[in-house]
Amino acid sequence: MESTSTTVPSIVVYVTVPNREAGKKLSASIISEKLAACVNIVPGIESVYWWEGKEGRMSHISRNGVRRWMVPSVGAGGPWSRATFLTMKLLYMGCLTNPLQKYIYLVALHNLLIPQVQTDAEELLIIKTRESLLNALTEHVKANHEYDVPEVIALPISGGNLKYLEWLKNSTREK
């Protein structure tokens, strides 16, 4: 971007949110704090990623085929305590008498403890702001986001409509 007194170094920041309501709420707070000039909410994106501590899938083979159910990871104990409890209960009740069933449950327990590919429907916030506001914007997102580790990724704006970039400068606070 050309260095002129009418514009400032500017960036585009990507932030994903779980749904429309969360996106509107976070966007409104960003704009009201003058941390950005504009936030676009892009609906209907799908994110595919590695993550630990999300829901893991356990399968149980029955006589009628495969039945599946979710074993959520909740609380401080995470998936290990829930899955261990479930397996111990099934062993105690005599449900896991077949060696193949025991093997399937042990493999499922193991899979709960390693990172797995996750897929989630999300919405994308495209935030236009000053480069100097990135740290304040990041802290605001972290404090007001539903995720423990929200995505905040900044890309430089290397050029564009000077009138728009001037508007961006005039619509945001300095620090």
Side-chain angles (χ1 to χ4, degrees), residues 53-58 69-75 77-83 86 112:
K54 291 274 294 186
E55 294 180 338
R57 186 175 298 270
M58 289 181 64
W69 62 88
M70 301 303 286
V71 179
S73 59
V74 294
W80 176 248
S81 59
R82 171 76 56 106
L86 176 64
L112 285 171

Coordinates of all heavy atoms in Angstrom, one line a residue, residues 53-58 69-75 77-83 86 112:
G53 N -9.8 -33.5 22.1 CA -10.9 -33.2 23.0 C -12.2 -33.0 22.5 O -13.1 -32.6 23.2
K54 N -12.4 -33.2 21.2 CA -13.8 -33.1 20.6 C -14.5 -34.5 20.8 O -13.9 -35.4 21.3 CB -13.7 -32.8 19.2 CG -13.3 -31.4 18.9 CD -14.4 -30.4 19.0 CE -15.3 -30.6 17.8 NZ -16.4 -29.7 17.7
E55 N -15.7 -34.6 20.3 CA -16.4 -35.8 20.4 C -15.7 -36.9 19.6 O -15.3 -36.6 18.4 CB -17.8 -35.7 19.9 CG -18.6 -34.8 20.8 CD -20.1 -34.6 20.3 OE1 -20.3 -34.8 19.1 OE2 -20.9 -34.3 21.2
G56 N -15.6 -38.1 20.1 CA -15.0 -39.2 19.4 C -16.1 -40.2 19.1 O -17.1 -40.3 19.8
R57 N -16.0 -41.0 18.1 CA -17.1 -41.9 17.7 C -16.6 -43.3 18.1 O -15.5 -43.8 17.8 CB -17.3 -41.8 16.2 CG -18.5 -42.6 15.7 CD -18.8 -42.4 14.3 NE -19.2 -41.0 14.0 CZ -20.4 -40.6 14.0 NH1 -21.4 -41.4 14.3 NH2 -20.7 -39.3 13.7
M58 N -17.5 -44.0 18.7 CA -17.3 -45.4 19.1 C -18.3 -46.2 18.3 O -19.5 -45.9 18.2 CB -17.5 -45.7 20.6 CG -16.4 -45.1 21.4 SD -16.7 -45.4 23.2 CE -16.5 -47.2 23.2
W69 N -22.8 -44.6 18.3 CA -23.2 -43.6 19.2 C -22.0 -42.7 19.6 O -20.9 -43.1 19.4 CB -23.9 -44.1 20.4 CG -23.1 -45.0 21.3 CD1 -22.3 -44.6 22.3 CD2 -23.0 -46.4 21.2 NE1 -21.7 -45.7 22.9 CE2 -22.1 -46.8 22.2 CE3 -23.5 -47.4 20.3 CZ2 -21.7 -48.2 22.4 CZ3 -23.1 -48.7 20.5 CH2 -22.3 -49.1 21.5
M70 N -22.3 -41.5 20.1 CA -21.2 -40.6 20.4 C -20.9 -40.7 21.9 O -21.7 -40.9 22.7 CB -21.7 -39.2 20.1 CG -22.1 -38.9 18.7 SD -20.8 -39.3 17.5 CE -19.7 -37.9 17.8
V71 N -19.6 -40.6 22.1 CA -19.1 -40.5 23.5 C -18.5 -39.1 23.6 O -17.3 -38.9 23.2 CB -18.0 -41.6 23.8 CG1 -17.5 -41.5 25.2 CG2 -18.6 -43.0 23.6
P72 N -19.2 -38.2 24.2 CA -18.7 -36.8 24.2 C -17.6 -36.6 25.2 O -17.5 -37.3 26.2 CB -19.9 -36.0 24.6 CG -20.8 -36.9 25.3 CD -20.5 -38.3 24.7
S73 N -16.7 -35.7 25.0 CA -15.6 -35.4 25.9 C -16.1 -34.2 26.7 O -16.2 -33.1 26.1 CB -14.3 -35.1 25.2 OG -14.5 -34.0 24.3
V74 N -16.4 -34.3 27.9 CA -16.9 -33.2 28.8 C -16.1 -33.1 30.0 O -15.5 -34.1 30.5 CB -18.4 -33.5 29.1 CG1 -19.2 -33.4 27.8 CG2 -18.6 -34.8 29.8
G75 N -16.1 -31.9 30.6 CA -15.5 -31.7 31.9 C -14.0 -31.9 31.9 O -13.3 -32.1 30.9
G77 N -12.3 -34.3 33.1 CA -11.9 -35.7 32.8 C -11.7 -36.0 31.4 O -11.0 -36.9 31.0
G78 N -12.3 -35.3 30.5 CA -12.2 -35.5 29.1 C -12.8 -36.8 28.6 O -13.5 -37.5 29.3
P79 N -12.4 -37.3 27.4 CA -13.0 -38.5 26.9 C -12.5 -39.7 27.6 O -13.2 -40.7 27.7 CB -12.4 -38.5 25.4 CG -11.2 -37.7 25.5 CD -11.5 -36.6 26.5
W80 N -11.3 -39.7 28.3 CA -10.8 -40.9 28.9 C -11.7 -41.3 30.0 O -12.1 -42.5 30.1 CB -9.4 -40.6 29.4 CG -8.8 -41.7 30.2 CD1 -8.5 -41.8 31.5 CD2 -8.5 -43.0 29.6 NE1 -8.0 -43.0 31.8 CE2 -8.0 -43.8 30.7 CE3 -8.5 -43.6 28.4 CZ2 -7.5 -45.1 30.5 CZ3 -8.1 -44.9 28.2 CH2 -7.6 -45.6 29.3
S81 N -12.1 -40.4 30.9 CA -12.9 -40.9 32.1 C -14.3 -41.4 31.6 O -14.8 -42.4 32.2 CB -13.1 -39.7 33.1 OG -13.7 -38.6 32.5
R82 N -14.9 -40.7 30.7 CA -16.2 -41.1 30.2 C -16.2 -42.5 29.5 O -17.0 -43.3 29.7 CB -16.8 -40.0 29.3 CG -18.1 -40.4 28.5 CD -19.3 -40.4 29.3 NE -19.6 -39.1 30.0 CZ -20.5 -38.2 29.6 NH1 -21.3 -38.5 28.5 NH2 -20.7 -37.1 30.3
A83 N -15.2 -42.6 28.6 CA -15.0 -43.9 27.8 C -14.6 -45.0 28.8 O -15.1 -46.1 28.6 CB -14.0 -43.7 26.7
L86 N -17.7 -46.1 30.7 CA -18.6 -46.8 29.8 C -18.1 -48.3 29.6 O -18.9 -49.2 29.7 CB -18.7 -46.1 28.5 CG -19.6 -46.8 27.4 CD1 -21.0 -46.9 27.9 CD2 -19.5 -46.0 26.1
L112 N -10.1 -42.3 21.0 CA -10.6 -41.2 21.7 C -9.5 -40.3 22.3 O -9.6 -39.1 22.6 CB -11.6 -41.5 22.9 CG -12.9 -42.0 22.5 CD1 -13.7 -42.5 23.7 CD2 -13.7 -40.8 21.9

